[in-house]
Structures are given as C-alpha cells and as structure tokens.
C-alpha cells in the first residue's frame, strides 16, 4: 500500500513545509497528446510567460523545458522547477528547420497554446477537435483554464462582431468592457482578473472606466510581474488625465511661447536681410571681382565678361561665385537689385 | 529608339490601368540592418470590400522586433514580437522567427496600420497584403 504518484505530488509540498519550513519551488507535471505530421519536429517546448505583453513574443529566454512526442502523440513534462501560484505558460511546436524560438499566429500553422498552470496541479492538454491543428488545443483538467477559455472566447467574439454602424460598435464595446470588468471583479484567481484588465487595455480605455481602474490599482497583488506593467499603465494615464485644467493652461502657455519665439526669429531674419541689403560690402571684393561685378550689372553674360577681360570662362565663373558668396546673393537679378538700391 | 519609347509608354499605361482597377500592395521586404526605428505602414480597406488579409514573416538574429496590426478602431488584431536580447541588452545565443497571418471577411473599412518597431534588429521582415 504505497502512496499513488498524484497523491504523493499533492502532499509533497505540505510534507516539505513541515520538515523544511518552506518550499520555494514546486515539481509540477504537464502531460497531453498532440498529433504532429512529418513537417513538424516531434518535440514540444514549454515556456513561462511572465507578463501579458510577452504572450505573442518568441524568445529563447522564456523556454523552461522541452520533451519528445511519442509515436502515439503523447508527451509528458515532469519535475518542472516552477514558481508558486497560477501563472501563464505556453506550449509550442516548431516546423523542421525552424529556430526553437518560433511563433506562428493564425493560419493552419498556428503553433502554440497558452494556458494557466499551478505546479501543485496536473494539467492535461489535448486537441478538442481531434484534428492536427495546434490552435485547437485545450487544457481539460483545470477549472482555471475553463475560465480563461471563456475570457478568450469573449475577446474573439467581440473582434469578430466588430462591424456594423458606429452606434452598434459602441454598444458592443460597452458590453465587452462590462463583461471583462465583471469577470475581473468576480474571479477568484488573481491571474484571471489581471488578464481581463490587460484585455481592457487601460492605455486606450482609461477615460471610459477611470474610476474602476483607479480602484483596481489600490488592490494588493502577489503576481507582481503581471500586475506591475498594468498598474504602471493605469497610473501614467491618471497623471495624464488628472489635472486637465493645468494641462490646458500648460498647453496654452506652450502655444503662446512658441508663437512669440517664432515671431522673434522671423523678425530677426527680416531685419538681418534688410540690413544686409542696405549695406552691401563692396569693399570686400578684389580688384578683378570689382571689374566682373561692374560688367555683371551692365547685363553682360559670363562669355562676354571673359572676352572683355581676356580671361578663361571658368575663371569668370569662379569670380561670379565668389562675388555671390561675399555679397550673400544667389542670382544676378538679386545682385542687380542690390546695386540699384544703393 | 521609337520602339523602346513606345514599349516603355505601353508598360507604364498598362500598370496605371491595373492600379486603377485594383489597389496594388506589392510584397515588401524590410532588410533590418541593426538600426532602431518605428514605422507605420497604412493599408486602405474600402467600404464594401469583402475580403482583406495579410501575412507577416520575420526572422532576426540580433536585437528585438515587434510587429502589430491595428484595425481602424485602434484594436490590435494580430502581431508578434521577436527577442534575441534580454532585458539587460545581453545577446542570447539564438535566432527568432515569427509569422502572423489573418484573413477577414467583410473587414472594417478604413485605414489599417501595420506598425513595425525595431530595436537594433538584424534580419528581415516580409509583408504581403491580400487586398
């Protein structure tokens, strides 16, 4: 009469706590059945997803274990060294030749499945439809995943129905948000509440539910890696949306200051332009440049100037460029105006 | 000479005619050279359009890459992230690949956005729009 394995696993943490006072890590087990055709590696990878923003991120740093898939499709992860409490995990497979960190989203090659797991429980993952698509996987043992499934179905339903008139869309959105808030308030597991708030997207929807979001931040959370980004997001929105009057005053001050500075810059350049046009510094020209200058204002072309001064055409062009530079003009017409004004 | 001008003209006007009949979004390949940037690629979906789809494929060997598809209401509809460096910027001994595909019947009309955020990502991203 020995203890059965599941019973042993159940009481192991308790026994450890009696003898050692604490049990920081748990040995969990996850098993299941998955049918993979020959285009797939016959392996299953397990990743720990420590924050919701990483749900669709592929990275080697999330991987915690891998196991082979038997010929009958069965796989088993055991003696997993996992953190306490309900957390998010991802199971994924890869196509032959692909890197281990590969994520396929949508389509027939969707290659992963997210689920909640607590190492003192036992998870069983199988396809719900019996076909080979990984997006049909389902965790069958744990109530937490049944609740998660309902939340994800709610999300899917909202997105697939988001057509129609603007008024219809607003009603759908309101109902969707209300349902998420209701589940977040009622959920017994912290991770489910947090998942709902993540889907509510405080960054975009803070104004619609500001009071509820503010109340949410006052709660105590054990799962800091999941809750902190959400609470930070809500608090940043509180800061942005809080002192509306001050913000408006500040924005008016910015507009007025920018206008004054812009007008000042325009005035400065206008005055600088006028002073330049009033006082052309002809004294800065060399003797040869003065000769060229005089011929330019007589309306002579570069070729005519080269013939008149018995110099190469390239030399004339060089003098003309030098004159333009010294007198800060960019054309013969401007040069002519400059001369006429003086 | 005349024949080649005629040929080029014919080619130009035929492309113009095709473009007038159907919006053309050719496959785009972003060569990610290790720089950091954020780009938004806009795809117009007309009212009454019965189908819209996209396929995004990325593979990187360095840095991090994030691709998000947002519908005209601003909802994130698809996307993936690839990380080959950890939070401290340390390079992991790995490459990462991501594929995001989706098709919509009777899609929301308006401007759909494909937002690409590269943080020193090195690799490529291929984008196909089925419009």
């Amino acid at each position: 009469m020995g203890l059965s394995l599941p019973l042993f696993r159940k009481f192991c943490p308790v026994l450890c706590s009696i003898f050692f006072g604490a049990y920081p890590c748990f040995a969990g087990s996850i098993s299941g059945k998955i049918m993979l055709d020959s285009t797939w590696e016959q392996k299953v990878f397990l990743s720990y997803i420590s924050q919701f923003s990483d749900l669709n991120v592929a990275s080697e740093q999330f991987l915690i274990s891998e196991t082979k898939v038997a010929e009958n499709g069965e796989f088993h992860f055991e003696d997993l060294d996992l953190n306490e409490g309900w957390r998010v995990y991802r199971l994924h497979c890869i196509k032959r030749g692909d890197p281990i960190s590969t994520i396929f989203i949508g389509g027939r090659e969707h290659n992963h499945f997210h689920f909640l797991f607590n190492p003192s429980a036992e998870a069983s993952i199988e396809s719900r439809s019996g076909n080979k698509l990984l997006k049909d996987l389902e965790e069958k043992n744990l109530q937490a995943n049944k609740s998660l499934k309902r939340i994800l179905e709610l999300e899917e339903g909202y997105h697939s129905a988001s057509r129609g008139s603007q008024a219809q869309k607003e009603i759908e959105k309101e109902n969707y948000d209300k349902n998420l808030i209701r589940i977040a308030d009622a959920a017994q597991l912290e991770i489910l509440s947090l998942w709902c708030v993540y889907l509510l997207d405080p960054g975009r929807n803070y104004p619609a539910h500001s009071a509820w979001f503010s109340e949410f931040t006052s709660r105590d959370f054990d799962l800091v890696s999941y809750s902190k980004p959400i609470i930070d997001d809500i608090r940043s929105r509180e800061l942005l949306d809080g002192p509306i009057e001050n913000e408006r005053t500040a924005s008016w001050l910015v507009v007025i200051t920018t206008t004054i500075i812009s007008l000042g810059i325009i005035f400065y350049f206008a005055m600088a332009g006028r002073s330049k046009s009033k006082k052309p510094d002809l004294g800065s020209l060399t003797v040869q440049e003065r000769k060229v200058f005089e011929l330019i204002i007589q309306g002579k072309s570069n070729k005519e100037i080269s013939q008149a001064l018995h110099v190469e055409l390239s030399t004339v062009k060089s003098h003309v460029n030098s004159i333009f530079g010294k007198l800060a003009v960019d054309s013969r017409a401007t040069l002519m105006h400059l001369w006429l004004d003086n | 000479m005349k024949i080649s001008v005629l040929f080029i003209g014919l080619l130009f006007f035929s492309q113009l005619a095709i473009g007038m009949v159907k919006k053309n979004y050719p496959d785009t390949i972003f060569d990610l050279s290790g720089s950091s940037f954020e780009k938004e690629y806009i795809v117009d979906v007309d009212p009454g359009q019965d189908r819209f789809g996209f396929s995004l494929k990325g593979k990187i060997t360095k840095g991090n890459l994030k691709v998000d598809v947002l519908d005209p209401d601003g909802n994130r509809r698809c996307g993936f992230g690839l990380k080959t460096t950890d939070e401290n910027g340390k390079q992991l001994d790995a490459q990462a690949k991501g594929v995001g595909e989706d098709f919509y019947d009777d899609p929301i009309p308006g401007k759909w956005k494909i937002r690409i955020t590269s943080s020193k990502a090195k690799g490529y991203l291929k984008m196909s729009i089925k419009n």
Side-chain angles (χ1 to χ4, degrees), chain A residues 51 54 56-62 98-108 158-160 162-163 169 204, chain B residues 73-83 85-87 92-101 105-106 108:
Chain A
Q51 50 187 12
D54 286 338
N56 292 318
V57 175
S59 176
E60 192 193 58
Q61 65 179 324
F62 304 154
D98 273 346
I100 293 171
S101 310
T102 295
I103 191 159
F104 275 77
I105 297 162
R108 293 186 65 81
Y158 165 64
H159 283 310
S160 62
S162 56
R163 293 179 219 122
K169 272 197 238 175
R204 286 184 59 223
Chain B
D73 296 334
N75 294 313
R76 187 179 171 281
R77 302 300 289 267
C78 188
F80 58 80
L82 304 175
K83 279 187 184 176
T85 56
D86 66 11
E87 284 74 24
L92 302 162
D93 185 22
Q95 50 181 329
K97 181 180 170 181
V99 180
E101 291 178 343
D105 290 323
D106 194 12
I108 302 174

Side-chain angles (χ1 to χ4, degrees), chain A residues 150-212:
Chain A
R150 279 199 290 276
I151 294 169
L152 298 179
E153 280 171 355
L154 194 69
E155 186 202 9
E156 203 181 322
Y158 165 64
H159 283 310
S160 62
S162 56
R163 293 179 219 122
S165 68
Q166 192 60 34
Q168 273 175 310
K169 272 197 238 175
E170 277 168 21
I171 292 167
E172 278 165 15
K173 172 88 179 91
E174 204 177 310
N175 287 337
Y176 173 64
D177 287 2
K178 269 184 191 168
N179 280 326
L180 287 176
I181 287 172
R182 189 175 50 78
I183 299 170
D185 282 336
Q188 292 191 337
L189 295 180
E190 191 179 301
I191 191 78
L192 288 170
S193 289
L194 289 166
W195 201 313
C196 288
V197 184
Y198 166 71
L199 292 178
L200 271 170
D201 193 359
R204 286 184 59 223
N205 295 316
Y206 179 80
H209 312 288
S210 54
W212 186 83

Side-chain angles (χ1 to χ4, degrees), chain A residues 309-327:
Chain A
L309 297 177
H310 305 291
V311 292
E312 292 289 322
L313 187 62
S314 58
T315 313
V316 175
K317 283 179 183 172
S318 167
H319 285 314
V320 171
N321 282 335
S322 177
I323 293 164
F324 281 10
K326 283 179 181 177
L327 301 182

Side-chain angles (χ1 to χ4, degrees), chain A residues 276 279-285 293 321-330 334-335 338:
Chain A
K276 263 183 190 173
K279 291 177 183 173
D281 190 11
L282 292 175
S284 63
L285 302 183
F293 175 80
N321 282 335
S322 177
I323 293 164
F324 281 10
K326 283 179 181 177
L327 301 182
V329 294
D330 54 4
T334 320
L335 197 68
L338 193 70

Side-chain angles (χ1 to χ4, degrees), chain B residues 52-70:
Chain B
F52 167 61
F54 54 82
S55 168
L56 305 157
K57 288 182 188 179
K59 193 173 180 179
I60 60 168
T61 52
K62 275 185 181 169
N64 299 332
L65 179 72
K66 194 165 175 275
V67 187
D68 290 310
V69 180
L70 306 170

Side-chain angles (χ1 to χ4, degrees), chain A residues 116-137:
Chain A
L116 298 175
F117 185 63
N118 179 340
S120 63
E122 286 192 6
S124 172
I125 295 165
E126 282 185 35
S127 168
R128 63 187 147 187
S129 60
N131 67 27
K132 293 177 181 177
L133 298 178
L134 268 73
K135 67 177 175 184
D136 282 343
L137 287 179

